[in-house]
Amino acid sequence: MSLIKNLQKVSDIINTNNDFVIFTHLYPDGDGIGSLIAFYKLIINLGKKAFMICNSEMPYQYEFLPYADKILKDISEIPYKNKYISLFLDCSDIKRAKPDEENLKKNTSLIINIDHHLSNTYFGDVNIVDSNKSATAEIIFILFNKYFKHCIDKEIAESLYTGILTDTGKFQYSNTTKEVHKIISILLKYDINPSYIYSSIYENEPFNRFKLLELVLKRVRLVKNEKLIYSFILKEDFEKLNLPFSSNDGIIELLRAVKDIKVAALFKETDTNTYKISLRASNNGINVASIANYFGGGGHKMAAAFTKQGKLKEIVENLVEVIEKNCGNL
Ligand code: 5GP
Ligand code: MN
């Protein structure tokens, strides 16, 4: 079904219902949190009720956003007596949000899925998925601007700007289209402050994050004729430095900057012998989403991730093998 038809359908659902629950994925990024808050505020501006859910700690980079302190961890905290509409934002798969699926099945009347990942599983009753869009926030802007323009305010504009800013790598990645810049120019009319948003996200680091950086850089390895670069962070590093998981944000982008590198990988231990592995491609020829897919994860062609259990050394070897097989001439 066409995207336009589904935008219309979602606007009808919003207009004819009153109770909403909005979800985003675990280990949320700026697009997940920005989309979540923008949608929440729109529903509130329409005089309806909404709750936000994210089953992970709140990254300090996004604490400055309005209503960030209202995000709940679990649907069991929701006081609705009647069935509600569920919206999943920036989730390629429903499992990315890790909802209590039994509770959800019992209490939700309809699931709406809005996302921009190519690997989206179309798990919703209504799906608005467009992998040509830079961010989920871009799709949400198109929906709001077409059907709810009168309800867009400064807080919504600030949240959508954050989603697009972060998912385009500060307007640097190949997904930074002329449509993106057009949308940004409209968002700027709502009197948002780009330098405040920039410094809140990118110049708000705890000092120990530099100690973490020191560790990551000390551990950097090059393999496969120096075409794959990787490093790792252990759970005990986060603990010893008293840093939250989100302090690793942006570090993999430093690894990708090395000349002639094709893939960068950062292994992050989330639990004993459980690693979240972020992958970045520095060259259009390598699709890291397909590599992440192989391991049960996903993402985009240039940025993807997966979770794997095991010993670090074995996971590294396994990844190198799969990269070799997938990109023979890496
Ligand atoms: P990051 O490395 O920044 O955590 O994630 C890079 C990209 O991969 C993002 O688009 C993110 O949504 C996606 N991603 C991260 N972790 C997972 C995962 O476990 N499963 C899937 N399907 N996608 C992921
Ligand atoms: Mn996104």
Side-chain angles (χ1 to χ4, degrees), residues 22 24 32-46 48 50-54 58-59 62-73 151-160 196:
I22 317 166
T24 195
I33 298 285
S35 296
L36 189 66
I37 292 175
F39 228 113
Y40 169 81
K41 187 64 198 308
L42 181 96
I43 302 286
I44 299 303
N45 287 354
L46 286 166
K48 297 164 186 275
F51 291 93
M52 296 179 278
I53 308 273
C54 179
M58 178 68 193
Y62 306 112
E63 269 169 0
F64 76 98
L65 282 172
Y67 313 105
D69 58 344
K70 283 190 173 295
I71 300 173
L72 305 174
K73 280 252 160 66
C151 284
I152 301 179
D153 61 15
K154 183 178 172 178
E155 291 179 329
I156 291 177
E158 197 171 47
S159 305
L160 293 178
Y196 162 72

Side-chain angles (χ1 to χ4, degrees), residues 30-199:
D31 190 27
I33 298 285
S35 296
L36 189 66
I37 292 175
F39 228 113
Y40 169 81
K41 187 64 198 308
L42 181 96
I43 302 286
I44 299 303
N45 287 354
L46 286 166
K48 297 164 186 275
K49 275 206 332 230
F51 291 93
M52 296 179 278
I53 308 273
C54 179
N55 211 330
S56 275
E57 71 182 23
M58 178 68 193
Y60 56 85
Q61 293 91 338
Y62 306 112
E63 269 169 0
F64 76 98
L65 282 172
Y67 313 105
D69 58 344
K70 283 190 173 295
I71 300 173
L72 305 174
K73 280 252 160 66
D74 190 76
I75 29 182
S76 61
E77 296 176 59
I78 292 169
Y80 286 145
K81 296 225 159 46
N82 301 324
K83 288 201 170 193
Y84 50 78
I85 303 288
S86 290
L87 282 135
F88 285 79
L89 308 179
D90 205 39
C91 297
S92 52
D93 189 307
I94 197 162
K95 293 204 165 22
R96 286 278 286 139
K98 212 175 157 201
D100 175 342
E101 291 197 40
E102 222 169 90
N103 188 331
L104 190 72
K105 247 189 224 152
K106 213 168 60 196
N107 295 312
T108 200
S109 53
L110 189 110
I111 292 177
I112 297 172
N113 161 25
I114 304 180
D115 185 38
H116 70 130
H117 292 92
L118 187 62
S119 55
N120 194 284
T121 58
Y122 289 75
F123 58 86
D125 300 302
V126 184
N127 302 284
I128 303 180
V129 178
D130 185 351
S131 62
N132 292 316
K133 296 289 181 279
S134 64
T136 298
E138 184 181 345
I139 303 175
I140 292 174
F141 171 83
I142 293 166
L143 173 74
F144 288 7
N145 203 45
K146 193 167 165 62
Y147 297 102
F148 304 102
K149 201 171 182 152
H150 57 291
C151 284
I152 301 179
D153 61 15
K154 183 178 172 178
E155 291 179 329
I156 291 177
E158 197 171 47
S159 305
L160 293 178
Y161 180 94
T162 296
I164 298 173
L165 173 77
T166 53
D167 258 24
T168 58
K170 305 169 208 142
F171 311 114
Q172 302 295 308
Y173 298 158
S174 54
N175 59 3
T176 312
T177 59
K178 61 178 185 293
E179 282 74 28
V180 163
H181 283 295
K182 255 189 235 162
I183 290 171
I184 293 299
S185 77
I186 297 170
L187 292 176
L188 290 173
K189 289 184 187 148
Y190 291 90
D191 207 24
I192 61 175
N193 183 342
S195 72
Y196 162 72
I197 296 172
Y198 176 85
S199 62

